[in-house]
Amino acid sequence: DAKPSNTAAQKTNFTKVHGLPDITPLVSSVQETPEPIPTTVKGTIPTWIHGSLLRNGPGKFEFGNQHYNHWFDGMALMHRFQIEDGQVTYRSRFLCSDSYTQNSERNRIIVSEFGTLALPDPCKNFFQRFLSRFEMPKPTDNASVNFVKYKGDYYVSTETNYMHRVDPDTLESKQKVDWSKFIAVNGATAHPHFDPDGTAYNMGNSYRNKGAFYNIIRVPPERDGPEDTLEGAKILCSIAPRDKSKPSYYHSFGMSENYVVFIEQPIKMDLFKIVTGRLRGKSLNEGVYWDPNQETIFHLIDKQTGKEMPVKYYTKALSTFHQINAFEQDGFLMLDMCCSDDGQSINNFLIQNLRQSGEALDEMYNTMSRPFPRRFVLPLNITSETLLEQNLNTRPDSTATAVCRTKNQVFCTFEDLHGEDLKDYGGLEFPHINYARYNTKPYRYYYGCGFRHLVGDSLIKMDLESKKFKVWRQPDLYPSEPVFILSPNAVEEDDGVILSVIITPVKDKSTFLLVLDAKTFEELGRAEVPVNIPYGFHGVFNSSA
């Protein structure tokens, strides 16, 4: 069903598709399953797997007759697939956030989300409703993006200042934790990075009188007492945006052994529009826009000293949500990430778009830029002696370039971490690696979802040496982000399994947990569970071995 792409499409690397299936059930509300239920295992689930796949994502898209506008707005639904002795149980629970509780009590949307402005309370008189438009919207605590770990505890996280500490066994919410009570930030990403000793790094913005700043955050691995949450968190470095009234939006960042890499991309947040949004009856996402005329800037921050490096690396406008890996070798820093040439997709994920069908759905998909895995090679040893206007990338077999424009400005172009054939699978997102052993190190394999639809519709394993990939894809099945688990006694990088939750819009209550051999990418087994799950975002494996 692929047709040759038109010229506009060739620019952004994609194949036009026709006849995309309707995926409305994958973005529709479901019931929770708070008590564990058994699954039916087909094939074999290795008995060496002990632990739980914890996943997070939206699970409720309306209250009463009011519905959310954006996919990111749905109420957080946490899932747990517990794997023990080749058997699997499933449970799920809505996060008891203040947003969820207040909305449920009133049976309407009380708390504004990224793409949905809560309407003034109809019980208030006209004057009170008028005044409420001048209040700053309170940040949501609907932590629906990921499970993250700080000091051995699990939290669910979104991108505001609120996280919830949760019990990884029962999925019960234990405590709401506010980043801004520990450090001067107004939020943090749901994608921290970790050093081998458990030290966590993250990023968050702060909004001060002098405008916005990007902050690198470090959270120590030790806890002083059982009640500890983010005690000891520190701001390692603050970076001024290119335009303090229009900072960049970022969903994650890169990290090598010695550096945090912040990618300042031209997806911009117009702070004036965001602050005045309520007054104008506009939600937060209306203040987020793509500026293709601005370059993307890579900032390097030394993890030991907290100092930002004087050299900045530039590339053309791109947008990125997820990094794959970053490592240093022979005086270069390799930064691998999934990128698009267009950053408008964040505003494309409106629920009404995801629920389209027929030609409207095809048109929606065919006008979106695809995400592709790319590598930037950043030379680290730039001095006043470095020659200008000359490619500094001397790595053999690398087509990426890095050219000094001035002594503190290097302009970079990427190399593809894939062959032409990946375009037939819609590019790749939700990347994953053998993080425990290969994060910040040279590596050979990454895993991800192919996107021949608005959500992932295949699982892919890429070999960076050959640029060849293996695929798991079946009609009408939509896999979640692949999670790699290392096998005991693993010797090679891909000794282990891939876990992914598979859902379908064509058959009711036909969800299953898929287990693939990470080396061969062949199915080992699946655990079928008679529930409906919407398409989710991210998750982690919590080992009990």
Side-chain angles (χ1 to χ4, degrees):
D1 58 7
K3 298 279 193 302
S5 43
N6 61 24
T7 15
Q10 275 164 349
K11 239 181 21 207
T12 43
N13 289 325
F14 59 73
T15 312
K16 280 206 159 193
V17 298
H18 297 278
L20 284 176
D22 182 349
I23 55 164
T24 300
L26 309 190
V27 280
S28 298
S29 300
V30 298
Q31 302 295 313
E32 62 181 0
T33 310
E35 293 306 317
I37 59 171
T39 65
T40 306
V41 172
K42 302 270 173 76
T44 307
I45 290 176
T47 50
W48 57 260
I49 306 175
H50 303 279
S52 323
L53 177 66
L54 302 172
R55 282 194 45 79
N56 199 353
K60 185 171 173 62
F61 297 96
E62 65 285 305
F63 284 92
N65 59 5
Q66 296 182 353
H67 58 84
Y68 289 112
N69 298 324
H70 200 284
W71 191 24
F72 300 171
D73 300 345
M75 293 290 101
L77 180 61
M78 303 171 287
H79 310 269
R80 176 180 189 255
F81 290 86
Q82 188 191 4
I83 309 170
E84 207 63 55
D85 299 323
Q87 295 302 310
V88 180
T89 60
Y90 170 79
R91 77 188 321 169
S92 66
R93 204 182 276 275
F94 280 108
L95 175 67
C96 281
S97 60
D98 295 350
S99 301
Y100 181 81
T101 308
Q102 291 170 20
N103 295 339
S104 299
E105 283 169 0
R106 301 279 191 85
N107 199 28
R108 67 184 197 85
I109 296 170
I110 300 286
V111 181
S112 294
E113 299 290 341
F114 174 70
T116 307
L117 186 69
L119 298 170
D121 188 341
C123 301
K124 290 182 171 174
N125 66 36
F126 171 80
F127 188 61
Q128 288 169 315
R129 289 207 302 271
F130 175 72
L131 284 183
S132 75
R133 287 191 173 264
F134 293 89
E135 293 168 6
M136 277 292 287
K138 293 182 180 65
T140 179
D141 66 336
N142 174 37
S144 65
V145 177
N146 205 354
F147 271 87
V148 296
K149 204 173 185 181
Y150 295 104
K151 303 184 185 184
D153 280 339
Y154 280 98
Y155 294 80
V156 283
S157 171
T158 176
E159 298 180 340
T160 67
N161 51 312
Y162 295 120
M163 297 191 297
H164 283 265
R165 192 160 64 89
V166 293
D167 181 322
D169 296 332
T170 64
L171 300 179
E172 287 171 311
S173 321
K174 292 293 181 197
Q175 183 183 3
K176 181 166 100 164
V177 177
D178 181 351
W179 276 103
S180 65
K181 296 273 188 286
F182 299 91
I183 47 175
V185 294
N186 295 77
T189 82
H191 289 288
H193 273 295
F194 302 95
D195 275 345
D197 68 355
T199 301
Y201 293 84
N202 206 336
M203 285 197 61
N205 283 3
S206 55
Y207 304 106
R208 312 173 195 163
N209 296 345
K210 292 178 181 167
F213 285 86
Y214 311 118
N215 303 286
I216 313 291
I217 303 162
R218 183 163 60 201
V219 182
E222 316 79 29
R223 54 195 322 159
D224 294 330
E227 300 306 305
D228 248 24
T229 56
L230 298 174
E231 279 80 2
K234 287 200 164 52
I235 289 180
L236 196 61
C237 175
S238 292
I239 301 166
R242 173 190 280 187
D243 177 345
K244 288 187 179 179
S245 66
K246 291 173 180 160
S248 291
Y249 168 79
Y250 53 93
H251 183 77
S252 63
F253 59 96
M255 186 180 86
S256 67
E257 187 182 354
N258 296 298
Y259 298 97
V260 166
V261 186
F262 169 54
I263 298 134
E264 190 174 16
Q265 61 188 355
I267 300 179
K268 296 291 181 182
M269 299 190 292
D270 185 324
L271 296 184
F272 180 75
K273 274 192 174 172
I274 289 169
V275 168
T276 60
R278 194 160 174 159
L279 195 59
R280 297 177 299 109
K282 300 287 187 191
S283 54
L284 187 120
N285 68 311
E286 306 238 359
V288 179
Y289 68 98
W290 165 246
D291 183 353
N293 301 315
Q294 286 203 21
E295 290 180 340
T296 301
I297 310 172
F298 302 122
H299 302 258
L300 266 54
I301 295 90
D302 186 310
K303 284 159 67 175
Q304 297 330 105
T305 64
K307 295 263 187 301
E308 186 183 356
M309 303 281 85
V311 176
K312 305 278 180 288
Y313 303 85
Y314 293 77
T315 192
K316 67 185 180 65
L318 60 79
S319 86
T320 179
F321 279 85
H322 301 111
Q323 278 67 59
I324 305 170
N325 200 356
F327 61 93
E328 298 156 47
Q329 199 175 37
D330 305 329
F332 295 97
L333 189 152
M334 271 52 71
L335 175 64
D336 297 352
M337 56 193 191
C338 294
C339 315
S340 297
D341 295 322
D342 183 330
Q344 298 187 51
S345 70
I346 195 166
N347 284 324
N348 288 341
F349 288 110
L350 298 172
I351 291 167
Q352 67 195 38
N353 291 343
L354 292 162
R355 289 180 181 169
Q356 291 193 106
S357 59
E359 284 181 14
L361 177 62
D362 292 347
E363 180 62 21
M364 177 77 223
Y365 178 79
N366 287 330
T367 52
M368 284 171 72
S369 183
R370 309 275 173 269
F372 283 95
R374 296 171 176 172
R375 170 170 293 175
F376 288 89
V377 178
L378 313 181
L380 294 171
N381 307 321
I382 305 284
T383 67
S384 53
E385 311 295 303
T386 304
L387 292 171
L388 301 185
E389 304 303 332
Q390 193 163 320
N391 182 15
L392 304 173
N393 178 14
T394 52
R395 285 174 66 83
D397 305 324
S398 171
T399 56
T401 68
V403 173
C404 258
R405 294 196 287 208
T406 68
K407 66 179 177 22
N408 284 336
Q409 276 196 19
V410 179
F411 187 80
C412 301
T413 65
F414 61 83
E415 61 184 294
D416 291 327
L417 296 182
H418 63 88
E420 282 294 304
D421 46 0
L422 186 62
K423 293 178 183 178
D424 297 334
Y425 289 86
L428 180 142
E429 244 295 348
F430 291 148
H432 215 266
I433 60 168
N434 177 346
Y435 192 97
R437 290 203 183 166
Y438 288 87
N439 191 50
T440 77
K441 298 182 175 72
Y443 69 114
R444 180 171 175 180
Y445 302 107
Y446 64 84
Y447 310 88
C449 287
F451 272 77
R452 269 185 68 111
H453 206 307
L454 297 175
V455 298
D457 74 333
S458 61
L459 291 168
I460 290 173
K461 174 193 182 180
M462 181 69 74
D463 179 342
L464 284 172
E465 280 186 16
S466 66
K467 302 282 200 316
K468 289 192 163 43
F469 59 88
K470 293 182 161 71
V471 182
W472 184 94
R473 184 168 188 255
Q474 291 182 12
D476 297 317
L477 296 183
Y478 296 85
S480 71
E481 164 192 69
V483 171
F484 177 85
I485 310 173
L486 197 63
S487 62
N489 317 316
V491 178
E492 296 186 312
E493 183 182 336
D494 56 353
D495 284 342
V497 297
I498 289 291
L499 300 183
S500 176
V501 179
I502 315 291
I503 57 179
T504 179
V506 298
K507 208 167 157 211
D508 193 39
K509 297 186 174 172
S510 298
T511 296
F512 61 93
L513 175 68
L514 175 69
V515 184
L516 298 178
D517 180 324
K519 195 175 277 298
T520 64
F521 232 50
E522 296 294 325
E523 179 173 337
L524 295 173
R526 57 176 69 181
E528 298 174 343
V529 57
V531 294
N532 292 321
I533 297 181
Y535 199 85
F537 298 135
H538 299 290
V540 294
F541 184 72
N542 174 30
S543 174
S544 56

